[in-house]
Amino acid sequence: MAALKMMATPIKFGPVEIKNRFIVSPMVMNCCNEDGTATEKYIAYHEEKAKGGWGLIVTEDYAVDPSGRTYQYLPGLWADYQIASHKELTERVHAAGAKIYAQIFHGGRQTEEWIIGQQVWAPSAIPCPVKKALPHEMTTQEVEEMVEKFGDAALRAKKAGFDGVQIHGGHGYLVCEFASAYSNKRIDKYGGNLVNRMRFPVEIIQNIRKKCGEDFGIDYKISGEECAPGGTNIEDTKAMAIMLEEAGIHSLNVSVGVYETWYMQVPPSVMGHGWIADYAAEIKKVVEIPVTTVGRVNDPLVAEGIIRSGKADACYMGRASLADPHMPEKALNGRFEDIIQCMACLQGCTSKIDSGCHGPCTLNPRTVREDEVKITPAQVKKNIFVAGGGPSGAEAAIVLAKRGHKVTVFEKEDRLGGMYGTAAVPPWKGEISSFVVWQKTQLEKLGVEVRYQTELTKAIVEEEKPDTVVVATGSHPFVPPFPGKDQEFVVSAVDLLRGKIQADGNIAVIGGGLVGGETANFLATHGNQVTIIEMLAQIVGEEPDNMKRFLLQSFEDHHVDIHAGTAVQTINEDRTITVKAGEEEKVLGPFDKIVTAVGMRANLELKGTLEDSVKEVVYVGDALKPGNALNAIEEGYMAALDI
């Protein structure tokens, strides 16, 4: 497509020619065995992206030594026994048309002793401010031995069929720790001035080149700025880039941050698209090798703009590949409307990883389940009614239609999306709408009938006699029975966000969970004075940390008055609220409006009413149990596979 002439153009990283400029970022998915070998799940996950048209896939964090692992289930290339399983990975990725690099790394001080079974290693005995463990300061001999381990791991990568390696020299891991005066306080040949601090990465590059030859690609990931006290800035990184190019790397990927600034490495929806591209642009001024960017590039047209502007030569699009592993194929064929666009919600890809699970995607239930979840034609084609056009119901309808069933969706509102559509209203959440539009588009393309402003009833079921009914009626706001809740100045957050009412002036929001917090932010950023009253000890507890920091900062910037650990007793006629915090009772207000956002309850109107009128009734999403979008979409998808 002409609009993507740069993204469609091949590019060479030294000896490696890549068919287009769509690159998958390394992302931890917790899919390998504990001994570092590849599983079928791990292989199928990458193979799906190759089938989807990505030019280059850079795999996650291959540890060069067991002491370098930062998660239990990372891949490894520290021993020869690991080669065979990863060779199957590269063969299947190559057969599907993509090139593949192994990112090789050592976690340094940014890991934990319970993971590696020993004291963490670092250039200096200074703990990571996040992980806290006191490191073993590597001896000069140990540093030299680690150089060899990087080279040996790269050689194993070559034997396993990888087209190249990416040395992870950013994000505060071991190579980055040596290069930065922030973490390297040594006084031997690997510390002190920049030349000495860069000796470790330079020797790694030279060692890889010696062992792997000239026909093997070497990429390097670097933090353009560490954004930490005393850390490297862009001018330091320019000097480093010059040295790395002279040492023999073929390409350079520019990211930012260390663990202390983790939100920069995995930016939430608050942060702008392609926000790291300016750092890459600065590096491009001083080197001749290809320079790539990363960070909230979730749209191929945004990537095209970055490349055309000269800021980077290609774009890494990691989480975009989770939401839609077939993005390149769709984009290059002009099917932009079929792309599932990452919205940086962080509910699956990071929140689940940090709890030791695989890294699912809220919008794509097949992600990291490619080996087990497939849409296959139904053996018996059915006439199926879906009650509710929210994310769960619409997802179920899409999968059911793809399997060959005749599907009709009943939606009582005049649009799809349900509560999820409402969630797009607060600041930074607008990209939620793109998924609702995607679902609507797919339903139209699949020929699914959607009856808007029509609520499915038992009478309709008895008259039209479907084979199956999927109940996806969602949830509704719940307000506890405290006195005064029915007064005219007390309104629901849902009605407010849907534009049914307006609230101006001094506003109280009862409930500081996800809905209450986002509603309060919406009101505060629209010029209102806002007070949050939350019974629990903390607010927005279910918000992913990388997003929460921005929400709390917004509350501070807009002088939101927060009362956590505070229970509402009564809403009084004079528009005040009597509350109790511990043993203390006090009165807040008066307020112009009081907004309730305490919780949700399942819509149960159809619960148990259809079973005698239809052969099969399936409940999904909030109609089953109120939860988040990740659960709702997955339930709709999986239920549709079982019908």
Side-chain angles (χ1 to χ4, degrees):
M1 183 180 178
L4 295 179
K5 67 179 183 180
M6 293 306 299
M7 289 295 287
T9 303
I11 186 172
K12 291 196 72 174
F13 288 177
V16 181
E17 181 165 329
I18 302 161
K19 66 182 179 181
N20 59 43
R21 312 218 179 176
F22 288 88
I23 305 177
V24 177
S25 301
M27 293 170 289
V28 172
M29 288 287 116
N30 281 338
C31 288
C32 285
N33 295 312
E34 199 164 0
D35 66 357
T37 55
T39 62
E40 173 58 26
K41 180 176 292 295
Y42 180 75
I43 294 170
Y45 161 75
H46 291 293
E47 182 182 31
E48 187 71 23
K49 299 178 193 298
K51 291 177 179 177
W54 296 86
L56 173 64
I57 297 169
V58 184
T59 62
E60 69 206 60
D61 297 349
Y62 275 72
V64 303
D65 185 83
S67 66
R69 294 172 299 139
T70 52
Y71 290 86
Q72 282 181 282
Y73 303 107
L74 287 180
L77 283 170
W78 64 76
D80 289 346
Y81 73 82
Q82 296 164 324
I83 294 173
S85 64
H86 296 290
K87 186 171 182 59
E88 182 179 351
L89 164 68
T90 62
E91 288 174 348
R92 284 166 59 175
V93 166
H94 287 149
K99 297 293 174 65
I100 183 167
Y101 278 22
Q103 183 187 72
I104 55 175
F105 96 126
H106 188 291
R109 67 180 187 173
Q110 291 185 166
T111 186
E112 299 175 70
E113 293 179 3
W114 71 267
I115 295 175
I116 62 175
Q118 65 176 70
Q119 187 177 11
V120 302
W121 282 25
S124 300
I126 303 170
C128 165
V130 175
K131 293 299 185 180
K132 305 295 187 182
L134 180 66
H136 160 68
E137 182 174 303
M138 297 170 66
T139 66
T140 302
Q141 181 179 341
E142 287 169 341
V143 179
E144 293 169 345
E145 290 171 352
M146 189 62 70
V147 169
E148 296 293 332
K149 289 181 179 181
F150 269 88
D152 291 343
L155 180 56
R156 293 187 188 102
K158 184 174 184 179
K159 290 178 179 179
F162 286 94
D163 300 289
V165 291
Q166 179 186 80
I167 302 165
H168 201 330
H171 295 175
Y173 296 120
L174 186 66
V175 177
C176 180
E177 289 166 18
F178 269 90
S180 173
Y182 170 58
S183 43
N184 183 348
K185 315 295 181 179
R186 303 173 70 91
I187 57 171
D188 65 355
K189 65 178 181 178
Y190 292 104
N193 60 52
L194 182 59
V195 171
N196 280 4
R197 297 199 312 272
M198 285 295 291
R199 192 183 304 278
F200 182 53
V202 166
E203 287 183 351
I204 288 173
I205 295 164
Q206 293 170 340
N207 195 277
I208 293 173
R209 175 65 58 240
K210 176 183 175 182
K211 291 174 178 174
C212 296
E214 296 297 325
D215 62 342
F216 190 64
I218 303 178
D219 184 79
Y220 192 98
K221 190 178 193 75
I222 197 167
S223 290
E225 292 198 356
E226 289 183 300
C227 303
T232 55
N233 66 15
I234 191 63
E235 300 306 325
D236 299 317
T237 307
K238 287 178 186 176
M240 293 177 181
I242 293 169
M243 299 171 72
L244 293 168
E245 182 178 36
E246 290 182 353
I249 65 170
H250 300 120
S251 51
L252 186 61
N253 178 232
V254 182
S255 184
V256 291
V258 292
Y259 265 19
E260 295 92 304
T261 49
W262 176 247
Y263 68 93
M264 294 182 176
Q265 297 166 40
V266 189
S269 57
V270 176
M271 303 181 77
H273 296 141
W275 73 280
I276 300 175
D278 287 340
Y279 292 98
E282 286 297 300
I283 300 301
K284 271 186 66 65
K285 294 176 182 178
V286 299
V287 296
E288 296 181 3
I289 56 175
V291 175
T292 58
T293 190
V294 68
R296 280 279 279 147
V297 185
N298 67 345
D299 188 314
L301 291 168
V302 171
E304 179 75 17
I306 289 171
I307 297 172
R308 288 199 193 192
S309 69
K311 290 185 176 181
D313 297 295
C315 290
Y316 280 58
M317 305 169 74
R319 286 176 296 162
S321 75
L322 302 182
D324 198 333
H326 289 259
M327 173 194 279
E329 177 264 321
K330 293 174 182 178
L332 295 173
N333 285 288
R335 294 167 45 223
F336 291 94
E337 75 280 3
D338 291 333
I339 295 172
I340 306 173
Q341 192 172 81
C342 169
M343 58 186 185
C345 68
L346 311 183
Q347 285 183 338
C349 56
T350 58
S351 296
K352 295 293 185 180
I353 286 294
D354 291 339
S355 61
C357 303
H358 302 316
C361 175
T362 297
L363 306 183
N364 183 0
R366 279 201 75 218
T367 294
V368 205
R369 301 168 79 175
E370 294 84 358
D371 59 324
E372 56 183 293
V373 175
K374 294 177 175 62
I375 297 177
T376 56
Q379 292 184 349
V380 178
K381 305 299 190 291
K382 298 180 179 180
N383 179 24
I384 302 176
F385 285 0
V386 178
S392 190
E395 192 72 10
I398 290 167
V399 176
L400 289 166
K402 286 182 176 180
R403 297 188 64 216
H405 296 295
K406 181 180 184 296
V407 185
T408 305
V409 176
F410 294 78
E411 171 51 54
K412 67 179 181 179
E413 303 291 341
D414 63 352
R415 67 195 67 190
L416 298 176
M419 293 296 299
Y420 203 44
T422 304
V425 174
W428 313 318
K429 299 291 185 174
E431 286 176 294
I432 289 175
S433 296
S434 68
F435 183 69
V436 178
V437 171
W438 177 84
Q439 287 189 319
K440 182 174 183 290
T441 300
Q442 302 314 302
L443 292 173
E444 291 171 353
K445 286 192 170 189
L446 291 164
V448 174
E449 179 187 359
V450 181
R451 299 186 192 177
Y452 292 104
Q453 298 181 305
T454 304
E455 195 167 354
L456 183 65
T457 63
K458 183 175 182 179
I460 293 174
V461 170
E462 290 179 342
E463 179 183 352
E464 301 192 32
K465 296 180 172 53
D467 299 304
T468 302
V469 174
V470 177
V471 179
T473 46
S475 57
H476 61 273
F478 167 73
V479 182
F482 40 68
K485 72 181 182 65
D486 296 323
Q487 298 177 86
E488 55 85 20
F489 55 84
V490 182
V491 300
S492 79
V494 173
D495 286 343
L496 177 73
L497 295 176
R498 286 180 173 173
K500 294 182 178 180
I501 58 172
Q502 187 171 356
D504 290 318
N506 188 15
I507 315 296
V509 177
I510 300 176
L514 193 57
V515 176
E518 296 288 359
T519 302
N521 194 41
F522 169 77
L523 290 165
T525 55
H526 281 71
N528 300 294
Q529 176 57 52
V530 179
T531 298
I532 298 175
I533 305 168
E534 169 55 45
M535 185 169 61
L536 299 179
Q538 65 170 343
I539 62 171
V540 293
E542 59 270 65
E543 187 82 79
D545 288 343
N546 282 9
M547 183 69 185
K548 186 190 299 184
R549 62 177 292 118
F550 289 97
L551 197 56
L552 296 179
Q553 184 62 54
S554 181
F555 291 159
E556 184 177 333
D557 293 343
H558 293 94
H559 309 291
V560 173
D561 189 17
I562 298 172
H563 296 264
T566 302
V568 172
Q569 303 297 297
T570 61
I571 299 177
N572 306 309
E573 291 184 2
D574 62 356
R575 297 176 181 259
T576 60
I577 304 175
T578 302
V579 300
K580 191 172 185 180
E583 298 301 318
E584 179 187 3
E585 191 169 273
K586 56 186 176 181
V587 176
L588 303 177
F591 301 101
D592 296 301
K593 279 283 195 299
I594 297 171
V595 179
T596 59
V598 179
M600 307 298 292
R601 292 292 184 271
N603 290 328
L604 300 175
E605 290 85 351
L606 290 179
K607 185 75 171 178
T609 65
L610 303 178
E611 277 72 6
D612 60 349
S613 303
V614 66
K615 294 178 182 178
E616 185 178 31
V617 182
V618 179
Y619 296 87
V620 299
D622 281 7
L624 187 65
K625 179 184 177 182
N628 59 25
L630 187 153
N631 296 329
I633 294 168
E634 179 185 17
E635 287 166 8
Y637 190 105
M638 298 305 293
L641 294 179
D642 292 335
I643 294 173

